[in-house]
mmCIF file of all heavy atoms in Angstrom:
data_model
loop_
_atom_site.group_PDB
_atom_site.id
_atom_site.type_symbol
_atom_site.label_atom_id
_atom_site.label_comp_id
_atom_site.label_asym_id
_atom_site.label_seq_id
_atom_site.Cartn_x
_atom_site.Cartn_y
_atom_site.Cartn_z
ATOM 1 N N GLY A 209 9.901 12.746 -78.012
ATOM 2 C CA GLY A 209 8.518 12.308 -78.221
ATOM 3 C C GLY A 209 8.193 10.936 -77.645
ATOM 4 O O GLY A 209 7.081 10.676 -77.198
ATOM 5 N N ARG A 210 9.172 10.043 -77.644
ATOM 6 C CA ARG A 210 8.907 8.698 -77.104
ATOM 7 C C ARG A 210 8.519 8.753 -75.632
ATOM 8 O O ARG A 210 7.523 8.186 -75.207
ATOM 9 C CB ARG A 210 10.156 7.830 -77.195
ATOM 10 C CG ARG A 210 10.284 7.109 -78.475
ATOM 11 C CD ARG A 210 11.628 6.392 -78.589
ATOM 12 N NE ARG A 210 11.895 6.239 -79.995
ATOM 13 C CZ ARG A 210 11.401 5.241 -80.726
ATOM 14 N NH1 ARG A 210 10.716 4.286 -80.169
ATOM 15 N NH2 ARG A 210 11.609 5.189 -82.024
ATOM 16 N N GLY A 211 9.338 9.450 -74.884
ATOM 17 C CA GLY A 211 9.058 9.600 -73.461
ATOM 18 C C GLY A 211 7.704 10.285 -73.246
ATOM 19 O O GLY A 211 6.934 9.905 -72.364
ATOM 20 N N LEU A 212 7.417 11.269 -74.108
ATOM 21 C CA LEU A 212 6.160 11.985 -73.945
ATOM 22 C C LEU A 212 4.952 11.043 -74.189
ATOM 23 O O LEU A 212 3.953 11.101 -73.474
ATOM 24 C CB LEU A 212 6.097 13.172 -74.914
ATOM 25 C CG LEU A 212 5.031 14.189 -74.535
ATOM 26 C CD1 LEU A 212 5.427 14.919 -73.237
ATOM 27 C CD2 LEU A 212 4.798 15.210 -75.649
ATOM 28 N N LEU A 213 5.097 10.204 -75.194
ATOM 29 C CA LEU A 213 4.016 9.252 -75.481
ATOM 30 C C LEU A 213 3.750 8.347 -74.280
ATOM 31 O O LEU A 213 2.598 8.154 -73.875
ATOM 32 C CB LEU A 213 4.419 8.399 -76.695
ATOM 33 C CG LEU A 213 3.381 7.390 -77.176
ATOM 34 C CD1 LEU A 213 2.177 8.084 -77.793
ATOM 35 C CD2 LEU A 213 4.006 6.419 -78.204
ATOM 36 N N TYR A 214 4.837 7.799 -73.678
ATOM 37 C CA TYR A 214 4.637 6.928 -72.508
ATOM 38 C C TYR A 214 4.091 7.729 -71.333
ATOM 39 O O TYR A 214 3.281 7.217 -70.555
ATOM 40 C CB TYR A 214 5.935 6.224 -72.134
ATOM 41 C CG TYR A 214 6.334 5.209 -73.194
ATOM 42 C CD1 TYR A 214 7.549 5.282 -73.862
ATOM 43 C CD2 TYR A 214 5.457 4.184 -73.552
ATOM 44 C CE1 TYR A 214 7.890 4.371 -74.849
ATOM 45 C CE2 TYR A 214 5.779 3.268 -74.538
ATOM 46 C CZ TYR A 214 6.989 3.376 -75.180
ATOM 47 O OH TYR A 214 7.309 2.480 -76.158
ATOM 48 N N GLY A 215 4.526 8.977 -71.218
ATOM 49 C CA GLY A 215 4.007 9.829 -70.146
ATOM 50 C C GLY A 215 2.522 10.090 -70.334
ATOM 51 O O GLY A 215 1.739 10.055 -69.374
ATOM 52 N N PHE A 216 2.136 10.334 -71.582
ATOM 53 C CA PHE A 216 0.710 10.573 -71.869
ATOM 54 C C PHE A 216 -0.117 9.344 -71.451
ATOM 55 O O PHE A 216 -1.134 9.473 -70.756
ATOM 56 C CB PHE A 216 0.527 10.880 -73.359
ATOM 57 C CG PHE A 216 -0.910 10.819 -73.779
ATOM 58 C CD1 PHE A 216 -1.788 11.856 -73.443
ATOM 59 C CD2 PHE A 216 -1.412 9.721 -74.472
ATOM 60 C CE1 PHE A 216 -3.138 11.793 -73.811
ATOM 61 C CE2 PHE A 216 -2.752 9.656 -74.830
ATOM 62 C CZ PHE A 216 -3.606 10.699 -74.487
ATOM 63 N N PHE A 217 0.324 8.168 -71.867
ATOM 64 C CA PHE A 217 -0.459 6.975 -71.512
ATOM 65 C C PHE A 217 -0.433 6.696 -70.016
ATOM 66 O O PHE A 217 -1.366 6.137 -69.466
ATOM 67 C CB PHE A 217 0.007 5.749 -72.316
ATOM 68 C CG PHE A 217 -0.547 5.731 -73.715
ATOM 69 C CD1 PHE A 217 0.288 5.724 -74.812
ATOM 70 C CD2 PHE A 217 -1.916 5.756 -73.940
ATOM 71 C CE1 PHE A 217 -0.222 5.713 -76.113
ATOM 72 C CE2 PHE A 217 -2.440 5.751 -75.226
ATOM 73 C CZ PHE A 217 -1.589 5.737 -76.323
ATOM 74 N N HIS A 218 0.635 7.133 -69.372
ATOM 75 C CA HIS A 218 0.655 6.984 -67.907
ATOM 76 C C HIS A 218 -0.458 7.834 -67.280
ATOM 77 O O HIS A 218 -1.149 7.383 -66.364
ATOM 78 C CB HIS A 218 2.032 7.393 -67.368
ATOM 79 C CG HIS A 218 2.234 7.022 -65.932
ATOM 80 N ND1 HIS A 218 2.450 5.730 -65.538
ATOM 81 C CD2 HIS A 218 2.211 7.771 -64.809
ATOM 82 C CE1 HIS A 218 2.571 5.679 -64.213
ATOM 83 N NE2 HIS A 218 2.422 6.922 -63.736
ATOM 84 N N VAL A 219 -0.632 9.030 -67.795
ATOM 85 C CA VAL A 219 -1.714 9.883 -67.294
ATOM 86 C C VAL A 219 -3.058 9.221 -67.556
ATOM 87 O O VAL A 219 -3.958 9.197 -66.699
ATOM 88 C CB VAL A 219 -1.619 11.282 -67.932
ATOM 89 C CG1 VAL A 219 -2.840 12.126 -67.565
ATOM 90 C CG2 VAL A 219 -0.344 11.993 -67.486
ATOM 91 N N VAL A 220 -3.206 8.629 -68.726
ATOM 92 C CA VAL A 220 -4.473 7.945 -69.044
ATOM 93 C C VAL A 220 -4.707 6.821 -68.038
ATOM 94 O O VAL A 220 -5.814 6.649 -67.512
ATOM 95 C CB VAL A 220 -4.453 7.397 -70.494
ATOM 96 C CG1 VAL A 220 -5.667 6.509 -70.763
ATOM 97 C CG2 VAL A 220 -4.369 8.542 -71.498
ATOM 98 N N ARG A 221 -3.678 6.058 -67.721
ATOM 99 C CA ARG A 221 -3.819 4.949 -66.769
ATOM 100 C C ARG A 221 -4.211 5.455 -65.383
ATOM 101 O O ARG A 221 -4.996 4.844 -64.685
ATOM 102 C CB ARG A 221 -2.504 4.179 -66.657
ATOM 103 C CG ARG A 221 -2.240 3.239 -67.786
ATOM 104 C CD ARG A 221 -1.117 2.282 -67.416
ATOM 105 N NE ARG A 221 0.141 2.949 -67.183
ATOM 106 C CZ ARG A 221 1.058 3.170 -68.130
ATOM 107 N NH1 ARG A 221 0.842 2.757 -69.357
ATOM 108 N NH2 ARG A 221 2.169 3.791 -67.837
ATOM 109 N N LEU A 222 -3.628 6.592 -65.008
ATOM 110 C CA LEU A 222 -3.955 7.133 -63.690
ATOM 111 C C LEU A 222 -5.371 7.669 -63.640
ATOM 112 O O LEU A 222 -6.011 7.688 -62.593
ATOM 113 C CB LEU A 222 -2.974 8.244 -63.330
ATOM 114 C CG LEU A 222 -1.548 7.814 -62.985
ATOM 115 C CD1 LEU A 222 -0.641 9.035 -62.844
ATOM 116 C CD2 LEU A 222 -1.528 6.991 -61.701
ATOM 117 N N GLY A 223 -5.857 8.143 -64.756
ATOM 118 C CA GLY A 223 -7.218 8.691 -64.796
ATOM 119 C C GLY A 223 -7.356 9.904 -63.906
ATOM 120 O O GLY A 223 -6.441 10.741 -63.812
ATOM 121 N N GLU A 224 -8.484 10.030 -63.219
ATOM 122 C CA GLU A 224 -8.722 11.218 -62.370
ATOM 123 C C GLU A 224 -7.616 11.412 -61.341
ATOM 124 O O GLU A 224 -7.307 12.538 -60.957
ATOM 125 C CB GLU A 224 -10.076 11.087 -61.655
ATOM 126 C CG GLU A 224 -11.272 11.576 -62.483
ATOM 127 C CD GLU A 224 -11.100 13.010 -63.002
ATOM 128 O OE1 GLU A 224 -10.519 13.847 -62.296
ATOM 129 O OE2 GLU A 224 -11.542 13.261 -64.137
ATOM 130 N N ALA A 225 -7.023 10.314 -60.894
ATOM 131 C CA ALA A 225 -5.975 10.437 -59.869
ATOM 132 C C ALA A 225 -4.814 11.324 -60.349
ATOM 133 O O ALA A 225 -4.095 11.908 -59.514
ATOM 134 C CB ALA A 225 -5.456 9.053 -59.476
ATOM 135 N N ALA A 226 -4.632 11.416 -61.661
ATOM 136 C CA ALA A 226 -3.538 12.267 -62.188
ATOM 137 C C ALA A 226 -3.828 13.737 -61.950
ATOM 138 O O ALA A 226 -2.936 14.576 -62.088
ATOM 139 C CB ALA A 226 -3.330 11.994 -63.671
ATOM 140 N N PHE A 227 -5.052 14.061 -61.621
ATOM 141 C CA PHE A 227 -5.450 15.475 -61.515
ATOM 142 C C PHE A 227 -5.885 15.841 -60.104
ATOM 143 O O PHE A 227 -6.642 16.769 -59.896
ATOM 144 C CB PHE A 227 -6.572 15.783 -62.528
ATOM 145 C CG PHE A 227 -6.110 15.506 -63.950
ATOM 146 C CD1 PHE A 227 -6.453 14.315 -64.578
ATOM 147 C CD2 PHE A 227 -5.333 16.417 -64.617
ATOM 148 C CE1 PHE A 227 -6.020 14.045 -65.856
ATOM 149 C CE2 PHE A 227 -4.888 16.162 -65.902
ATOM 150 C CZ PHE A 227 -5.231 14.970 -66.530
ATOM 151 N N GLN A 228 -5.455 15.042 -59.150
ATOM 152 C CA GLN A 228 -5.836 15.332 -57.779
ATOM 153 C C GLN A 228 -4.619 15.572 -56.895
ATOM 154 O O GLN A 228 -3.591 14.910 -57.094
ATOM 155 C CB GLN A 228 -6.644 14.161 -57.199
ATOM 156 C CG GLN A 228 -8.089 14.147 -57.720
ATOM 157 C CD GLN A 228 -8.709 12.776 -57.630
ATOM 158 O OE1 GLN A 228 -8.154 11.884 -57.006
ATOM 159 N NE2 GLN A 228 -9.859 12.621 -58.258
ATOM 160 N N GLY A 229 -4.782 16.452 -55.955
ATOM 161 C CA GLY A 229 -3.730 16.705 -54.967
ATOM 162 C C GLY A 229 -2.436 17.206 -55.590
ATOM 163 O O GLY A 229 -2.417 17.729 -56.690
ATOM 164 N N GLU A 230 -1.398 17.014 -54.829
ATOM 165 C CA GLU A 230 -0.062 17.396 -55.297
ATOM 166 C C GLU A 230 0.716 16.106 -55.551
ATOM 167 O O GLU A 230 0.463 15.090 -54.935
ATOM 168 C CB GLU A 230 0.668 18.208 -54.208
ATOM 169 C CG GLU A 230 -0.005 19.499 -53.821
ATOM 170 C CD GLU A 230 0.473 20.668 -54.681
ATOM 171 O OE1 GLU A 230 1.654 20.975 -54.664
ATOM 172 O OE2 GLU A 230 -0.393 21.260 -55.379
ATOM 173 N N ARG A 231 1.680 16.169 -56.424
ATOM 174 C CA ARG A 231 2.471 14.984 -56.753
ATOM 175 C C ARG A 231 3.912 15.425 -56.947
ATOM 176 O O ARG A 231 4.188 16.272 -57.809
ATOM 177 C CB ARG A 231 1.912 14.419 -58.060
ATOM 178 C CG ARG A 231 2.192 13.005 -58.359
ATOM 179 C CD ARG A 231 1.493 12.652 -59.691
ATOM 180 N NE ARG A 231 0.227 11.981 -59.484
ATOM 181 C CZ ARG A 231 0.103 10.680 -59.318
ATOM 182 N NH1 ARG A 231 1.173 9.902 -59.338
ATOM 183 N NH2 ARG A 231 -1.088 10.129 -59.150
ATOM 184 N N ARG A 232 4.790 14.918 -56.123
ATOM 185 C CA ARG A 232 6.213 15.260 -56.322
ATOM 186 C C ARG A 232 6.678 14.715 -57.657
ATOM 187 O O ARG A 232 6.288 13.611 -58.038
ATOM 188 C CB ARG A 232 7.045 14.609 -55.204
ATOM 189 C CG ARG A 232 7.267 15.495 -54.006
ATOM 190 C CD ARG A 232 8.727 15.414 -53.516
ATOM 191 N NE ARG A 232 9.215 14.038 -53.494
ATOM 192 C CZ ARG A 232 9.172 13.252 -52.402
ATOM 193 N NH1 ARG A 232 8.642 13.717 -51.286
ATOM 194 N NH2 ARG A 232 9.659 12.035 -52.443
ATOM 195 N N ALA A 233 7.520 15.490 -58.360
ATOM 196 C CA ALA A 233 7.975 15.030 -59.669
ATOM 197 C C ALA A 233 8.626 13.655 -59.550
ATOM 198 O O ALA A 233 9.552 13.474 -58.751
ATOM 199 C CB ALA A 233 8.952 16.040 -60.257
ATOM 200 N N GLU A 234 8.123 12.685 -60.272
ATOM 201 C CA GLU A 234 8.705 11.342 -60.224
ATOM 202 C C GLU A 234 9.127 10.922 -61.634
ATOM 203 O O GLU A 234 8.395 11.153 -62.605
ATOM 204 C CB GLU A 234 7.702 10.356 -59.630
ATOM 205 C CG GLU A 234 6.419 10.339 -60.408
ATOM 206 C CD GLU A 234 5.243 9.683 -59.678
ATOM 207 O OE1 GLU A 234 5.179 9.829 -58.440
ATOM 208 O OE2 GLU A 234 4.414 9.045 -60.354
ATOM 209 N N GLU A 235 10.316 10.330 -61.707
ATOM 210 C CA GLU A 235 10.789 9.934 -63.019
ATOM 211 C C GLU A 235 10.435 8.473 -63.280
ATOM 212 O O GLU A 235 10.506 7.632 -62.386
ATOM 213 C CB GLU A 235 12.309 10.088 -63.104
ATOM 214 C CG GLU A 235 12.733 10.214 -64.552
ATOM 215 C CD GLU A 235 14.191 9.866 -64.820
ATOM 216 O OE1 GLU A 235 14.782 9.043 -64.103
ATOM 217 O OE2 GLU A 235 14.710 10.427 -65.782
ATOM 218 N N HIS A 236 9.996 8.203 -64.493
ATOM 219 C CA HIS A 236 9.684 6.839 -64.903
ATOM 220 C C HIS A 236 10.592 6.487 -66.079
ATOM 221 O O HIS A 236 10.658 7.247 -67.032
ATOM 222 C CB HIS A 236 8.227 6.724 -65.367
ATOM 223 C CG HIS A 236 7.237 7.038 -64.287
ATOM 224 N ND1 HIS A 236 6.493 6.068 -63.668
ATOM 225 C CD2 HIS A 236 6.878 8.203 -63.714
ATOM 226 C CE1 HIS A 236 5.715 6.621 -62.754
ATOM 227 N NE2 HIS A 236 5.923 7.934 -62.768
ATOM 228 N N ARG A 237 11.221 5.340 -65.975
ATOM 229 C CA ARG A 237 11.960 4.868 -67.161
ATOM 230 C C ARG A 237 11.913 3.339 -67.188
ATOM 231 O O ARG A 237 11.898 2.685 -66.152
ATOM 232 C CB ARG A 237 13.389 5.386 -67.224
ATOM 233 C CG ARG A 237 14.316 5.003 -66.061
ATOM 234 C CD ARG A 237 15.748 5.439 -66.319
ATOM 235 N NE ARG A 237 15.919 6.879 -66.349
ATOM 236 C CZ ARG A 237 16.340 7.555 -67.424
ATOM 237 N NH1 ARG A 237 16.656 6.936 -68.537
ATOM 238 N NH2 ARG A 237 16.476 8.872 -67.370
ATOM 239 N N PRO A 238 11.857 2.768 -68.379
ATOM 240 C CA PRO A 238 11.703 1.313 -68.446
ATOM 241 C C PRO A 238 12.961 0.605 -67.979
ATOM 242 O O PRO A 238 14.080 1.074 -68.211
ATOM 243 C CB PRO A 238 11.479 1.061 -69.941
ATOM 244 C CG PRO A 238 12.067 2.239 -70.642
ATOM 245 C CD PRO A 238 11.906 3.404 -69.701
ATOM 246 N N ALA A 239 12.762 -0.547 -67.306
ATOM 247 C CA ALA A 239 13.911 -1.310 -66.838
ATOM 248 C C ALA A 239 14.634 -1.972 -67.995
ATOM 249 O O ALA A 239 15.830 -2.164 -67.952
ATOM 250 C CB ALA A 239 13.438 -2.371 -65.849
ATOM 251 N N SER A 240 13.886 -2.353 -69.002
ATOM 252 C CA SER A 240 14.570 -2.958 -70.144
ATOM 253 C C SER A 240 14.286 -2.143 -71.397
ATOM 254 O O SER A 240 13.169 -1.665 -71.619
ATOM 255 C CB SER A 240 14.183 -4.423 -70.327
ATOM 256 O OG SER A 240 12.813 -4.552 -70.521
ATOM 257 N N ALA A 241 15.343 -1.993 -72.209
ATOM 258 C CA ALA A 241 15.253 -1.103 -73.352
ATOM 259 C C ALA A 241 14.377 -1.697 -74.451
ATOM 260 O O ALA A 241 13.760 -0.967 -75.218
ATOM 261 C CB ALA A 241 16.647 -0.850 -73.898
ATOM 262 N N LEU A 242 14.314 -3.017 -74.523
ATOM 263 C CA LEU A 242 13.506 -3.615 -75.574
ATOM 264 C C LEU A 242 12.428 -4.485 -74.952
ATOM 265 O O LEU A 242 12.704 -5.321 -74.085
ATOM 266 C CB LEU A 242 14.365 -4.451 -76.519
ATOM 267 C CG LEU A 242 13.552 -5.037 -77.671
ATOM 268 C CD1 LEU A 242 14.092 -4.576 -79.014
ATOM 269 C CD2 LEU A 242 13.501 -6.534 -77.610
ATOM 270 N N ARG A 243 11.174 -4.225 -75.360
ATOM 271 C CA ARG A 243 10.017 -4.937 -74.828
ATOM 272 C C ARG A 243 9.241 -5.412 -76.057
ATOM 273 O O ARG A 243 8.403 -4.699 -76.592
ATOM 274 C CB ARG A 243 9.233 -3.990 -73.910
ATOM 275 C CG ARG A 243 10.165 -3.363 -72.864
ATOM 276 C CD ARG A 243 9.549 -2.265 -72.039
ATOM 277 N NE ARG A 243 9.105 -1.117 -72.792
ATOM 278 C CZ ARG A 243 9.890 -0.116 -73.209
ATOM 279 N NH1 ARG A 243 11.191 -0.122 -72.962
ATOM 280 N NH2 ARG A 243 9.373 0.882 -73.892
#
Side-chain angles (χ1 to χ4, degrees):
R210 272 173 204 277
L212 197 69
L213 182 70
Y214 292 121
F216 167 76
F217 280 122
H218 191 74
V219 172
V220 172
R221 282 194 297 270
L222 288 172
E224 275 306 324
F227 300 99
Q228 283 158 10
E230 298 270 300
R231 201 178 262 274
R232 268 222 317 266
E234 57 196 35
E235 203 202 30
H236 297 254
R237 61 173 66 242
S240 59
L242 183 121
R243 307 171 299 279

